[in-house]
Amino acid sequence: MRIVLLGAPGSGKGTQSQLLVRSYGVPQISTGDLLREAVSKATALGLEAKAAMDAGKLVDDATVLSMIRERLAKPDAVKGFILDGFPRNIAQAQALERLLLELGTPLDAVILLSLDLGVLFKRLTGRRICEGCGRVYNIYTTTPPGAPLHCDGCGETARFIQRPDDREDVIAKRLEVFEAQTKPLVQYYQDAGLLRVVDADADVDTVFRAIQRAVET
Ligand code: AMP
């Protein structure tokens, strides 16, 4: 299975990718996660990417593409992959197409997680992450009530943190970038005959079942 999960920040790409990983045994390749890892390790790439990320802008294509090329060359990606957060603009989509053509492994489908902007905004402002294991919660819907808070993922007394780019001013920028740069990919993949649209305004399991139907038909 080789798929792209397309959707605005907050549409559930990360959560759904993890469920797909468990069901289909292929790795999730998230450029956001790879970049955050580079930032936390303070690598040269991370230091360069940090300013764009903190401002809610896209990191430059060359950096992201070299990261993707390296990641797709790893042995676990031979059996397939779920691309989460990549491509983010037409140039990246074209570069991906060329790369997959070289590898002889074209995409099977592109799943668009479709969600209203108002809902996205609330999901992002409410998003909190367990510092211990990275499990994602939302203060409006899923954070376990009561204090101290225990994480269902690692069982520890969790310290829930907010991603620096989930602050309201940065979120507005990220959604603007999505509309301007990433949304044109919907038409791009529609024209390529690869697009499947899934309504992402439902609970996690319902959305997952809709994705499964979309990839298996
Ligand atoms: P995400 O976790 O996918 O929301 O990504 C967090 C941030 O990482 C984005 O706001 C961008 O600054 C950067 N980023 C992630 N993926 C890409 C990409 N494909 N191209 C450029 N920047 C990216």
Side-chain angles (χ1 to χ4, degrees):
M1 169 195 276
R2 292 181 296 272
I3 61 169
V4 167
L5 273 192
L6 190 62
S11 57
K13 298 187 299 296
T15 304
Q16 294 297 335
S17 293
Q18 283 164 17
L19 296 177
L20 286 163
V21 167
R22 254 183 265 155
S23 279
Y24 296 97
V26 294
Q28 168 196 19
I29 300 181
S30 155
T31 41
D33 285 350
L34 291 171
L35 287 164
R36 277 184 289 279
E37 195 186 326
V39 170
S40 76
K41 288 183 177 159
T43 65
L45 187 154
L47 293 173
E48 218 178 288
K50 189 176 183 325
M53 293 174 77
D54 285 350
K57 296 180 186 162
L58 293 187
V59 173
D60 70 280
D61 290 345
T63 303
V64 174
L65 284 166
S66 73
M67 229 170 54
I68 279 286
R69 190 169 288 115
E70 201 177 298
R71 182 62 188 86
L72 285 177
K74 295 204 169 150
D76 65 338
V78 170
K79 57 189 173 183
F81 49 77
I82 297 143
L83 289 176
D84 159 11
F86 177 89
R88 268 309 219 267
N89 59 28
I90 297 279
Q92 292 183 7
Q94 290 169 335
L96 175 66
E97 206 173 322
R98 284 193 296 273
L99 178 60
L100 294 181
L101 200 68
E102 264 171 45
L103 298 170
T105 53
L107 288 175
D108 296 319
V110 174
I111 310 292
L112 171 68
L113 296 180
S114 175
L115 203 58
D116 187 83
L117 272 183
V119 181
L120 287 169
F121 199 80
K122 195 165 176 183
R123 280 200 186 176
L124 289 165
T125 51
R127 179 156 68 183
R128 297 292 182 275
I129 294 164
C130 169
E131 206 179 21
C133 68
R135 196 175 173 115
V136 177
Y137 292 89
N138 192 290
I139 54 169
Y140 300 116
T141 51
T142 59
T143 307
L149 295 172
H150 286 274
C151 174
D152 300 335
C154 58
E156 297 295 321
T157 302
R159 229 170 67 77
F160 293 109
I161 53 168
Q162 190 174 32
R163 263 170 56 171
D165 59 350
D166 278 346
R167 291 197 334 262
E168 275 194 36
D169 51 333
V170 186
I171 289 170
K173 182 68 193 169
R174 288 166 67 206
L175 293 176
E176 189 188 310
V177 167
F178 174 77
E179 288 291 316
Q181 303 197 46
T182 311
K183 224 166 182 188
L185 291 180
V186 173
Q187 191 62 49
Y188 181 89
Y189 284 123
Q190 175 87 58
D191 293 346
L194 288 169
L195 192 76
R196 319 262 192 282
V197 182
V198 165
D199 177 8
D201 193 6
D203 63 85
V204 171
D205 293 337
T206 305
V207 176
F208 183 60
R209 280 195 298 275
I211 293 176
Q212 281 184 306
R213 281 196 298 277
V215 293
E216 285 168 11
T217 53

